[in-house]
Amino acid sequence: MADDTDEVFDFSNLEFTREYLVTTLNDMVHEYKKFSQSFEEVKAKKESHATKSELVISDEMQAALT
């Protein structure tokens, strides 16, 4: 049973022309690229924060050892 958020495509519908499908696919690729770029930016920030945390911990350990 499909809920309200599921889309059901009737490919026999004349609305699905080649041009419509190509345009829709291009839109999907564009959205994917935007999400992928956003993901990479968040991933880089997370890695940067992790590196900074490691440096702080390393500095604290060095101070404790001296």
Side-chain angles (χ1 to χ4, degrees):
M1 178 183 217
D3 63 32
D4 293 334
T5 60
D6 289 344
E7 292 185 38
V8 178
F9 293 103
D10 178 8
F11 288 102
S12 64
N13 187 336
L14 295 178
E15 172 186 342
F16 295 106
T17 63
R18 183 178 189 281
E19 180 181 342
Y20 174 80
L21 294 173
V22 168
T23 301
T24 302
L25 178 60
N26 286 335
D27 291 345
M28 290 170 61
V29 168
H30 180 71
E31 287 296 312
Y32 171 80
K33 286 180 180 178
K34 285 191 329 187
F35 285 128
S36 180
Q37 182 179 1
S38 295
F39 171 77
E40 292 300 326
E41 290 170 1
V42 169
K43 183 178 167 185
K45 280 184 182 178
K46 182 179 177 185
E47 289 173 355
S48 173
H49 289 298
T51 302
K52 288 178 185 175
S53 294
E54 290 169 0
L55 288 174
V56 168
I57 290 170
S58 177
D59 289 344
E60 290 172 356
M61 292 175 108
Q62 195 70 18
L65 291 173
T66 56

